[in-house]
Amino acid sequence: MRLVLLGLPGAGKGTQGDMISEKYGIPHISTGNIFRDAVASGVGLGREVNSYISKGELIPDDLTLRVVQERLNQPDCQRGWILDGFPRTVLQARELDRSLAKSGLNVEMACDVRVAQREAIERISNRRICSNCGAVYHLEQHRAEEKGTCDACGGALYRRTDDSEETVRKRLDVYMRQTHPVLHYYARDGRLYSIDGARPIDVVFADVDHYLQHLAEELAVGEAQ
Ligand code: AP5
Ligand code: MG
Ligand code: ZN
C-alpha cells in the first residue's frame, strides 16, 4: 500500500499517518520529521535546511527528492509506505511517479485531510510534542495526563520552532500557492480522496480506514490474479 497524505499545516497528517502505520504495519515517512531530525543533529543537511524551515519556506525540490528517494530505498519500504508532507509541489509529485514507474509501482491513493485555515491555526497553537519519543499532543483535544510530560515515556513536551504565529501564516500561504496544485495533479487520474478533517481524530481515522480497506481488498485481488 503506497499513499500520500496532503493537507494544510496542522490538518492532522502526522496524527493520521501514525495511526495508519500502526494498523497496516507500513512506515510513516514525514519529510518534516526527517528535516527536523537533521536540524537537531546540527550537521550537513541540517544546516542547509534550517534556514528554509525557520522561515516557513519549502526546501528546494532537488534536495527534498534526494532525501525521499534515499528513504524509500530502505528495506522497510518494500511492502509500502505512507508519505506525509511529500509531495508538496507538482514537480515533486511528477518525479515521485516517474521514479516509482521505473519499478512498476505507483502512488495508489492521495488522501487530502481538509480543515479550514482557522482550525489549522488553532490546532498548531495547541500542539505539543514529546522531546523524547515524538508523540504529538493537543492541549485540549488530545491532552497529556500530566501537564508538560508525555504519557508514553515521561519526556518533556515542547513547541516546534516553526509553530510561531508569523511562521504558521507563511506556511499556510506557501501551501496555497505551491502545494494546493498537487491536489489537482492527483484528482486528474482519480487518485485523490478527500477527507473531512474537522472531526475528532478517531472519526477522521475511521473514514481514512474505510478507503484503505477498499484499497487493500483491491490490491489483494490484483495479486491473486
Ligand atoms: P511538516 O512537518 O510537514 O509540517 P506541515 O505540513 O506544516 O504540517 P504539520 O506537521 O504542522 O501538521 P500535521 O498536518 O502533521 O498535523 P498534526 O497531526 O501534527 O513540514 C515542516 C517544514 O518542513 C515545511 O514548512 C518545509 O520547510 C519543510 N518540508 C517538509 N516537507 C517538505 C517537502 N516535501 N518539500 C519541501 N519542504 C518540505 O496535528 C496538529 C495538531 O492538531 C496536533 O496537536 C494534533 O494532536 C491535533 N489534531 C490532529 N488531528 C486532530 C483532530 N481531528 N481534531 C482535533 N485535533 C487534532
Ligand atoms: Mg506533521
Ligand atoms: Zn514520549
Side-chain angles (χ1 to χ4, degrees), residues 129-137 149-157:
I129 302 167
C130 173
S131 52
N132 185 45
C133 74
V136 177
Y137 296 90
T149 49
C150 175
D151 290 349
C153 75
L157 303 186

Side-chain angles (χ1 to χ4, degrees), residues 13-14 30 33 36 84 127 160:
K13 304 180 294 293
S30 154
N33 284 348
R36 278 185 292 277
D84 154 9
R127 172 168 52 196
R160 265 165 55 177

